[in-house]
Amino acid sequence: MRGFSSASVLLALICLAVLSAGSNLRPLDIKTFHSLNRVGAPVVSPNQRLALFTTSYYSQAENKNAAFISCLDIDSGNITRLTEDRPGTVVTNPLWFDQDTIGYLKRGALYRQALQTDGAASVVFAPPVPISNVNYRANQSLLTFMAAVYPNCTLMESAAAKQRAAQRPDSAMVYDNLWARHWNEWMTPEKASVFTAPVARADEQWTVGRETSLAAMLPHTADPLTRWAVDDYAVSPSGSSLAFVVRPPTDNMTWSTNVDIYLAATGGGARPRLLTGRVGGAASAPAFSWDGQRLAWLQMETAGYEADINRIYIYTLATRETVAVAYDWDASPHALAWSRDNRALYAVVSSRGRNIVVEVDAVTGKRRELTSDGSAGAVRSVDARRVLLVHSSTEAPADIRL
């Protein structure tokens, strides 16, 4: 595999600096560790020749975080920085609007920028509440994203409700179940949901239309103290379908490990279809095939188990049939991605203290290890024979490899 990494280059420069100063090699201390660049998951361009990725780091001198976006030429390995690299400026969630225009989140707003270094950027969407996990489907001119909102509220209505709540003279809450706190978070009326919104593009004027919550028709969404929040989602390549992960409400959510996956049309209107109703365990990591005909996800099958083995399930949209593949596998994957030819899945599994990528035939379940040394993750298919992934080892920080 080839590696293209500013992080590994930085580590080499650090070692050279130590040697040139006449000092002996020393252990990697916490200050040096936090100053290293960290590379995010690659986002492959529509023509499959380029990939966007974030690089983040912490500046000790200014006590600020920084994150910027770069573009990788997949064939040559050349890397071009696209956004500002400055402590205190954090740019996240890179995406492609088209082959010549990128998008990203910065200071709570969604921006677009021409594919060039420090190009002129303009705001596409300035939501009244924070958004995350933004995707765009050009063939539908469709924006999808997640946002935490009050029950049955639009983004604007939720922002107004939060402002009113901030003006209360107290912060008291009344809970009638034990699901009042999860780890370090109290349950609040705001719950994460998944939204779609149309984008109208007229030359330089881009307008985002009214958003639609695809989870609004689920039961108990109006219960302000029930943890029904959407955890993750995947949108089909065509933009017509969306699958989201949600924890269903129960009488005793403190003991329940059930997590479901629903399938919805991005146009809204119809109630989302439950795909995991016959299984009482936790579902995760939905991923659409590139032809949009199948949806894969990871499924724990035993209710009440938080460490059950993950099985690979595949749902065919046309027939509404679900099958399990590689059921004889004793490994437990924690991430999935489809190959470009829709014949296989790339699964990330833990093996002997590291993460490896395994190719799994989507019909027979036959498996083939694609990585061996170090740890790998964030697999993204480039074409029928190549993938990009993020790789790290005990000798070097994360970099992008082909």
Side-chain angles (χ1 to χ4, degrees):
M1 290 185 295
R2 282 192 294 160
F4 325 103
S5 173
S6 55
S8 56
V9 172
L10 177 60
L11 183 62
L13 291 176
I14 292 172
C15 294
L16 287 174
V18 172
L19 292 173
S20 63
S23 302
N24 293 325
L25 291 177
R26 57 184 174 80
L28 181 66
D29 60 30
I30 191 64
K31 291 184 178 180
T32 304
F33 178 79
H34 282 294
S35 67
L36 293 175
N37 287 354
R38 285 162 172 77
V39 178
V43 183
V44 180
S45 65
N47 68 4
Q48 300 163 239
R49 296 177 180 175
L50 307 172
L52 303 175
F53 65 93
T54 58
T55 303
S56 59
Y57 64 92
Y58 168 71
S59 171
Q60 297 181 53
E62 300 192 32
N63 192 26
K64 294 179 180 179
N65 292 319
F68 59 90
I69 294 175
S70 299
C71 182
L72 166 68
D73 185 301
I74 296 173
D75 289 329
S76 70
N78 293 330
I79 295 176
T80 304
R81 180 180 56 80
L82 299 179
T83 63
E84 182 182 29
D85 174 11
R86 185 178 65 179
T89 299
V90 176
V91 177
T92 61
N93 202 147
L95 58 93
W96 295 91
F97 282 115
D98 54 49
Q99 189 53 49
D100 301 312
T101 311
I102 68 168
Y104 50 81
L105 290 176
K106 179 181 177 182
R107 299 190 184 96
L110 177 63
Y111 284 77
R112 61 182 173 94
Q113 176 183 317
L115 189 62
Q116 60 188 41
T117 301
D118 296 330
S122 57
V123 175
V124 174
F125 185 35
V129 299
I131 62 174
S132 62
N133 202 353
V134 183
N135 284 279
Y136 179 74
R137 292 294 182 264
N139 47 5
Q140 295 269 355
S141 296
L142 184 74
L143 202 66
T144 60
F145 58 90
M146 291 179 60
V149 296
Y150 280 73
N152 299 323
C153 286
T154 65
L155 301 185
M156 191 65 71
E157 292 168 346
S158 185
K162 187 172 184 177
Q163 186 175 15
R164 290 193 298 270
Q167 297 173 352
R168 287 178 50 187
D170 63 81
S171 59
M173 298 286 287
V174 177
Y175 295 89
D176 59 5
N177 60 66
L178 292 178
W179 198 247
R181 185 176 175 85
H182 185 239
W183 296 112
N184 62 339
E185 295 181 352
W186 292 99
M187 299 297 102
T188 68
E190 296 169 282
K191 298 293 186 296
S193 186
V194 60
F195 294 86
T196 64
V199 179
R201 299 173 56 171
D203 296 327
E204 293 302 312
Q205 187 65 38
W206 292 27
T207 305
V208 177
R210 182 181 176 88
E211 75 278 2
T212 300
S213 172
L214 297 185
M217 298 183 69
L218 295 184
H220 295 86
T221 55
D223 186 343
L225 300 180
T226 297
R227 182 73 173 190
W228 61 267
V230 174
D231 293 327
D232 191 15
Y233 79 92
V235 60
S236 65
S238 68
S240 60
S241 300
L242 186 147
F244 59 89
V245 182
V246 65
R247 185 186 184 104
T250 64
D251 293 335
N252 193 348
M253 296 187 70
T254 306
W255 294 102
S256 173
T257 60
N258 188 22
V259 179
D260 284 326
I261 290 181
Y262 285 83
L263 180 67
T266 54
R271 183 169 178 169
R273 184 186 312 146
L274 176 62
L275 303 184
T276 53
R278 297 182 180 181
V279 187
S284 62
F288 280 96
S289 59
W290 287 97
D291 58 11
Q293 296 181 13
R294 288 176 292 176
L295 175 72
W297 69 85
L298 298 175
Q299 181 70 61
M300 293 185 183
E301 297 179 332
T302 308
Y305 280 40
E306 290 189 334
D308 194 13
I309 188 172
N310 270 324
R311 304 295 187 183
I312 300 176
Y313 279 27
I314 298 179
Y315 174 84
T316 302
L317 276 67
T319 63
R320 298 189 179 183
E321 293 179 343
T322 303
V323 297
V325 298
Y327 204 82
D328 61 334
W329 198 12
D330 62 356
S332 185
H334 53 263
L336 291 175
W338 282 88
S339 63
R340 287 277 176 170
D341 60 10
N342 305 299
R343 295 179 179 179
L345 287 156
Y346 302 121
V348 180
V349 299
S350 297
S351 174
R352 299 181 294 276
R354 54 195 171 85
N355 291 329
I356 64 172
V357 178
V358 178
E359 182 184 68
V360 181
D361 189 286
V363 176
T364 67
K366 184 179 179 180
R367 299 173 293 280
R368 179 170 65 101
E369 291 189 8
L370 300 184
T371 63
S372 56
D373 63 314
S375 283
V379 184
R380 302 294 183 266
S381 180
V382 176
D383 51 39
R385 61 184 181 85
R386 299 184 299 173
V387 298
L388 286 174
L389 53 84
V390 175
H391 181 274
S392 64
S393 71
T394 56
E395 299 176 350
D399 63 1
I400 296 177
R401 294 193 178 185
L402 181 64

